[in-house]
Amino acid sequence: MSKKIKKHYSGIGGQAVLEGVMMKNKEKYAVAVRKPSGEIAVEVENFQGMLHGSKILELPFIRGVFNFINSLVLGTKALNYSASFYEEDEENTAVDKALDKVSGGNGEKVMSVIVTIISIALAMGIFVVLPYFASKYFEGFVRNHSLLLIIEGVIRIVLFLLYAAGISILSDIRRLYQYHGAEHKCINCIERGRELTVENVMKSSRFHKRCGTSFIFFVLIVSIILFFFINVDTVWQRVCFRILLMPVVAGISYELIRLAGKYDNFFVNLLSAPGFLFQKITTKEPDEEMVEVAIASVNAVFDWREYLSETFGYTWDEEDE
């Protein structure tokens, strides 16, 4: 039996988009999309994000908040690009024209910011505020404050699981989950020291420690712990403190997911295990055509041959270059 190759951190990450995959390496990102014609379109751009070059982004815990916001903005941008291939009406709407006029032609960027803000607000309402009010139903049966907080956390986890599982019924979302699996498989393939081929990618795991789903799991767990320290009297104060603490929760969760992605040992694997269970819902096995799209995205931003050479000692013949 061959010895299992230890996993090595590559630094690349990404997300699934409509009929495609976005991959990011440092400041460079690529969105590869399978067009209705069957052709793979690839767009490569740079993304610097909020506070680019600032020392703040090097500070543990604080950097996680801004990296999370940057990820949402980039993710929305990538989704908009992929959706553009499947829009039935290419004409700009009245809203698009108005935004372009007000923003000096930057309507798409403004819309991305608006969508990001609305998404954050909805997530806060559904997964932070709603579980708190739902847990208040149990106050007539449970007098222990700590137990009520645990119940609130359980409700928050159940809501997320129901949401993730519920939308998977939609065919487009299920395909999105398959492309999510293709993204993970590509990263796992090269981080395990395998050449990036369709055959090798298909054999790789669809679960990854740095997945956004695992990040959400850490957010849910960390929030339960931090909310234990909220000791105020009124309902509105409790709700406000929960919302205000979310950047702290995101900062801590980012450091945990960063830790999980860089190391491969028993403790880290144990820490990552619950996130893998969540990923059973949000990642599905892709087909070979989906993997081809994911590989195209990786190739556009990451020299995996050089990575395998430097990390695993691969050598390449000139005819393979």
Side-chain angles (χ1 to χ4, degrees):
M1 182 183 294
S2 60
K3 184 179 179 181
K4 184 178 180 181
I5 299 177
K6 188 174 181 180
K7 190 173 184 178
H8 289 267
Y9 177 70
S10 66
I12 62 171
Q15 73 168 56
V17 297
L18 182 63
E19 293 300 325
V21 172
M22 182 273 286
M23 287 288 187
K24 186 174 184 293
N25 179 33
K26 299 178 181 177
E27 295 178 5
K28 193 176 182 181
Y29 77 93
V31 186
V33 180
R34 178 77 71 178
K35 296 165 64 175
S37 63
E39 177 189 357
I40 299 177
V42 181
E43 180 181 69
V44 181
E45 288 190 13
N46 288 334
F47 179 78
Q48 296 180 337
M50 185 183 298
L51 298 181
H52 172 71
S54 172
K55 294 293 184 181
I56 293 177
L57 295 181
E58 298 177 8
L59 298 175
F61 302 106
I62 295 177
R63 61 189 173 190
V65 179
F66 296 102
N67 280 318
F68 174 65
I69 295 173
N70 286 336
S71 295
L72 287 177
V73 173
L74 177 58
T76 302
K77 183 179 177 67
L79 280 169
N80 288 340
Y81 171 76
S82 65
S84 68
F85 292 101
Y86 291 86
E87 291 176 351
E88 295 181 1
D89 184 8
E90 295 294 336
E91 294 293 327
N92 286 339
T93 65
V95 174
D96 294 328
K97 293 177 181 178
L99 285 175
D100 278 334
K101 185 176 181 180
V102 173
S103 62
N106 294 315
E108 184 178 345
K109 293 181 180 179
V110 173
M111 181 58 72
S112 294
V113 173
I114 292 174
V115 170
T116 300
I117 293 173
I118 293 175
S119 299
I120 293 174
L122 286 174
M124 289 286 190
I126 297 172
F127 300 113
V128 178
V129 178
L130 180 59
Y132 167 70
F133 283 106
S135 67
K136 287 182 67 64
Y137 171 78
F138 295 91
E139 285 184 340
F141 313 98
V142 179
R143 298 298 181 184
N144 186 286
H145 177 67
S146 297
L147 184 55
L148 280 173
L149 286 173
I150 293 174
I151 291 173
E152 178 187 343
V154 170
I155 293 173
R156 188 172 291 112
I157 293 173
V158 170
L159 280 176
F160 174 73
L161 289 174
L162 289 175
Y163 168 77
I167 62 175
S168 67
I169 297 174
L170 303 173
S171 59
D172 286 345
I173 298 299
R174 183 167 183 84
R175 288 187 64 82
L176 190 73
Y177 285 174
Q178 286 181 280
Y179 276 107
H180 190 190
E183 174 226 329
H184 284 186
K185 280 174 169 284
C186 279
I187 298 174
N188 279 323
C189 178
I190 57 179
E191 290 188 340
R192 288 291 185 188
R194 305 187 186 103
E195 295 182 46
L196 193 64
T197 64
V198 172
E199 181 181 3
N200 286 340
V201 171
M202 290 297 290
K203 294 177 181 178
S204 300
S205 171
R206 76 176 198 264
F207 307 120
H208 199 281
K209 295 175 183 176
R210 297 196 310 274
C211 175
T213 306
S214 293
F215 172 79
I216 293 175
F217 166 77
F218 285 130
V219 166
L220 297 175
I221 298 302
V222 171
S223 66
I224 295 175
I225 297 172
L226 284 188
F227 292 170
F228 270 101
F229 298 96
I230 298 178
N231 188 20
V232 291
D233 297 326
T234 65
V235 171
W236 74 268
Q237 285 178 324
R238 292 171 188 167
V239 172
C240 286
F241 269 103
R242 278 163 170 73
I243 294 174
L244 292 174
L245 273 177
M246 289 314 295
V248 180
V249 171
I252 296 173
S253 301
Y254 176 82
E255 297 304 322
L256 290 173
I257 201 75
R258 184 182 174 91
L259 173 71
K262 283 196 170 185
Y263 299 98
D264 191 12
N265 54 53
F266 174 78
F267 172 74
V268 168
N269 291 338
L270 185 64
L271 188 68
S272 303
F276 283 177
L277 293 177
F278 274 44
Q279 289 180 47
K280 285 182 177 293
I281 298 176
T282 62
T283 64
K284 302 297 180 184
E285 287 294 335
D287 58 33
E288 291 188 355
E289 288 191 348
M290 293 175 176
V291 167
E292 289 173 356
V293 175
I295 289 176
S297 188
V298 174
N299 284 333
V301 296
F302 187 75
D303 188 343
W304 56 268
R305 289 177 180 270
E306 181 181 358
Y307 168 80
L308 292 182
S309 178
E310 293 178 352
T311 308
F312 297 94
Y314 274 57
T315 56
W316 308 98
D317 296 328
E318 289 186 6
E319 60 188 38
D320 293 329
E321 296 295 335

